[in-house]
Amino acid sequence: MSSPAQPLAASLVQSVDWLAIAPPTIAAVVALAVLVADLFVAEHRKALLGWTSVAGLAAATLMLLPLLDGDRSTFCLTGDAAVCSYTADRFTLVIQFLVLGGALLAALLSVTALKDARKALPEGEYWFLLLSSAAGAALLPASRDLATLIVALEVASLPAFALVGLKYGDRKSSEAALKFFLSSVTATAVSLLGISFLYASTGTLYLTQLADRVQDVDGQLHTLADTGVVLTLVGFAFKTAAVPFHFWVPDTYVGAPLPIAAYLSVIGKAVGFSGLILVTVVALPSYADVWGPALAALAALTMTVGNVGALRQQATRAYSAVRLLAWSSVGQAGYLLVPIAAAAYSGDAEKSIGSTVAYALMYGAVNLGAFAVAALVGRTKTLNRVADYRGLYASNPLSALLLAFFLLCLAGLPPGIIGLFAKVTVFSAAVDAGLGWLAVIMAVNVVIALFYYLQWTALLFRAAPEGEAAPHRIPAPLTAALAVTGVLGVALSGAPQLVLRFTDTGLF
């Protein structure tokens, strides 16, 4: 005799599309394998853990290729196969490529950094945390319900706190980790409160169902839904380092190991912005009149404060090169917010979102390249001041040329055509959406940024201080990171249209 519960239980059983979830799953499995292997690997062979992690991230990135043939979804509602928790569409794959590719480059930088640290950084824990964070970051763009979204966000963020403060006995590192932790926990608490309000007023966590139900909320729950929308947006503004929620960025980048600063500058941004896109454009399009003006104002404020902060950095101050890149990343976050704000006003929201994704790809490649050169210089100049880059061309011509190219890409000047192309794409998204005032503010900020990018570029080719023209020896992992970012930047500058073709998001 079968119980009535059996048919119900059978209806809840569903198959899992393992190919669709392969990229984040591989990163998570390799993270666990590295943590266990650390217990048995002899001290003098710990470098194997790093190369295993690099191989795992490379395998996770390659697993994106079989997913290009069409959209795949899994963990769907049994009564409605169109409502799913995990979707591998074009938007997901592009962001996962950025996240896993960026994590792979950060891992290459980390191999050298761990060797130079001479046991100041515990290798097994380091690689476990980096891979765990990458797995969470890869899961987030595929999330199509708010519960999965917030879990992915925390899986990406929590290991990052530990990575920032992992260096033994380093007060600067501990302080940076604490600031990062407090700001991020605040953001999560605000987001969770907002999400709970949205769930209470609509009865669903699925993004597509939320988009429909939030328009027909009962009158008594209308204020609750409005508050939920605002709190959720504020939480994600923290995660994207938008002003005024940016205060943790400079100190965190300086206190973290340099590869982790590079990781946060690109992967941390990708996580925040992909989450923001999913919440605004997919889940809350009916609230475009709320989040559109708010994000436009945040974009203007963020790019201005970021670029002015970078402009104020003194070349002789300790860690000024890292601080300049940190403030620059805040300014770049402002540019990334522009097309998301434009999506609220545009008749073609998908095109606007494509502009943000295209800009994120350009920024990811060249910013990781700039951090790779900073990691190289930091091996001999531990204070990593902008002044330390004077005469780099004399001691290491290729690194100087690459850094000059990356800085010109970030500035949007030839020969960094991809940077110019990305800025024009963002600029046109604002103009097409009728946000002329925001386009003007962006143009002013691009001019401000030109000053400090060109000032740093010019310093590379000036005469080196007396007796400081000794050539830098570049380790193989650093060489690989510089080569990959350089080739990507040059190739995309030669054919920038490939980026837009690649970033046809398929979100709608």
Side-chain angles (χ1 to χ4, degrees):
M1 179 178 170
S2 63
S3 70
Q6 283 179 331
L8 177 61
S11 72
L12 294 174
V13 174
Q14 54 181 280
S15 60
V16 177
D17 188 340
W18 289 103
L19 183 60
I21 66 171
T25 303
I26 289 172
V29 169
V30 175
L32 290 171
V34 165
L35 186 64
V36 173
D38 182 50
L39 300 172
F40 304 101
V41 174
E43 198 65 39
H44 65 281
R45 304 188 71 186
K46 294 284 189 186
L48 286 174
L49 301 176
W51 290 112
T52 302
S53 303
V54 169
L57 287 168
T61 308
L62 287 173
M63 284 307 296
L64 297 173
L65 294 175
L67 300 173
L68 292 173
D69 58 354
D71 296 354
R72 306 172 77 104
S73 297
T74 190
F75 305 114
C76 303
L77 282 180
T78 49
D80 188 352
V83 180
C84 304
S85 291
Y86 188 103
T87 299
D89 55 16
R90 178 56 70 93
F91 171 80
T92 299
L93 298 183
V94 173
I95 300 296
Q96 284 182 338
F97 172 74
L98 174 60
V99 163
L100 293 170
L104 176 58
L105 289 167
L108 286 171
L109 298 181
S110 299
V111 171
T112 302
L114 286 168
K115 187 177 178 182
D116 291 345
R118 293 184 176 84
K119 314 255 181 330
L121 289 166
E123 298 205 26
E125 292 90 331
Y126 183 98
W127 291 114
F128 168 72
L129 292 167
L130 182 62
L131 286 162
S132 300
S133 180
L139 171 62
L140 190 136
S143 305
R144 293 297 181 272
D145 71 67
L146 291 173
T148 309
L149 191 68
I150 208 75
V151 167
L153 197 62
E154 287 314 292
V155 173
S157 301
L158 289 171
F161 308 148
L163 283 167
V164 170
L166 199 60
K167 203 167 187 179
Y168 291 139
D170 190 327
R171 186 176 174 182
K172 184 161 48 66
S173 177
S174 303
E175 183 184 339
L178 183 61
K179 284 185 178 178
F180 185 23
F181 172 76
L182 291 175
S183 63
S184 198
V185 165
T186 304
T188 302
V190 172
S191 293
L192 282 172
L193 186 61
I195 287 168
S196 66
F197 286 177
L198 285 173
Y199 179 68
S201 54
T202 62
T204 185
L205 290 172
Y206 289 95
L207 302 185
T208 50
Q209 287 187 339
L210 188 65
D212 293 331
R213 295 187 190 179
V214 80
Q215 301 177 62
D216 302 311
V217 171
D218 184 88
Q220 293 178 317
L221 299 174
H222 198 71
T223 303
L224 189 68
D226 292 348
T227 308
V229 170
V230 171
L231 290 176
T232 305
L233 291 175
V234 168
F236 277 95
F238 263 103
K239 295 293 185 182
T240 56
V243 173
F245 314 115
H246 68 294
F247 54 86
W248 57 271
V249 173
D251 288 341
T252 298
Y253 283 26
V254 168
L258 204 58
I260 301 307
Y263 177 85
L264 291 174
S265 75
V266 173
I267 287 76
K269 289 235 181 334
V271 165
F273 279 97
S274 53
L276 190 62
I277 288 168
L278 290 171
V279 168
T280 54
V281 180
V282 179
L284 301 169
S286 57
Y287 275 83
D289 58 332
V290 174
W291 55 259
L295 291 183
L298 277 179
L301 194 59
T302 301
M303 66 177 79
T304 304
V305 171
N307 284 315
V308 170
L311 191 64
R312 293 178 64 245
Q313 295 308 305
Q314 298 173 356
T316 54
R317 184 185 178 186
Y319 309 107
S320 55
V322 180
R323 283 187 177 278
L324 192 151
L325 287 172
W327 282 108
S328 161
S329 79
V330 173
Q332 300 286 346
Y335 303 147
L336 284 162
L337 280 168
V338 171
I340 307 177
Y345 302 91
S346 170
D348 188 355
E350 184 168 356
K351 183 180 177 185
S352 298
I353 296 308
S355 299
T356 287
V357 176
Y359 197 95
L361 284 174
M362 178 284 299
Y363 167 75
V366 299
N367 208 59
L368 282 168
F371 268 103
V373 179
L376 171 65
V377 174
R379 299 184 77 225
T380 52
K381 310 279 188 180
T382 52
L383 290 180
N384 221 326
R385 300 169 298 187
V386 171
D388 293 333
Y389 291 74
R390 179 176 174 175
L392 182 62
Y393 182 76
S395 60
N396 201 316
L398 187 58
S399 296
L401 289 171
L402 279 172
L403 181 56
F405 175 69
F406 296 140
L407 293 174
L408 291 174
C409 282
L410 289 169
L413 284 179
I417 302 297
I418 185 59
L420 176 63
F421 177 79
K423 281 188 168 55
V424 168
T425 304
V426 169
F427 192 85
S428 65
V431 172
D432 292 345
L435 295 172
W437 65 271
L438 188 55
V440 170
I441 291 175
M442 181 180 170
V444 171
N445 274 280
V446 169
V447 173
I448 294 172
L450 284 178
F451 183 80
Y452 62 80
Y453 284 132
L454 289 177
Q455 197 174 41
W456 193 356
T457 305
L459 205 61
L460 302 173
F461 301 98
R462 292 177 62 181
E466 197 67 34
E468 289 194 22
H472 296 280
R473 181 182 159 274
I474 310 181
L478 258 179
T479 304
L482 285 168
V484 171
T485 51
V487 167
L488 265 176
V490 171
L492 292 177
S493 290
Q497 69 277 8
L498 291 175
V499 175
L500 274 188
R501 197 175 303 161
F502 186 56
T503 55
D504 176 20
T505 60
L507 256 179
F508 304 94

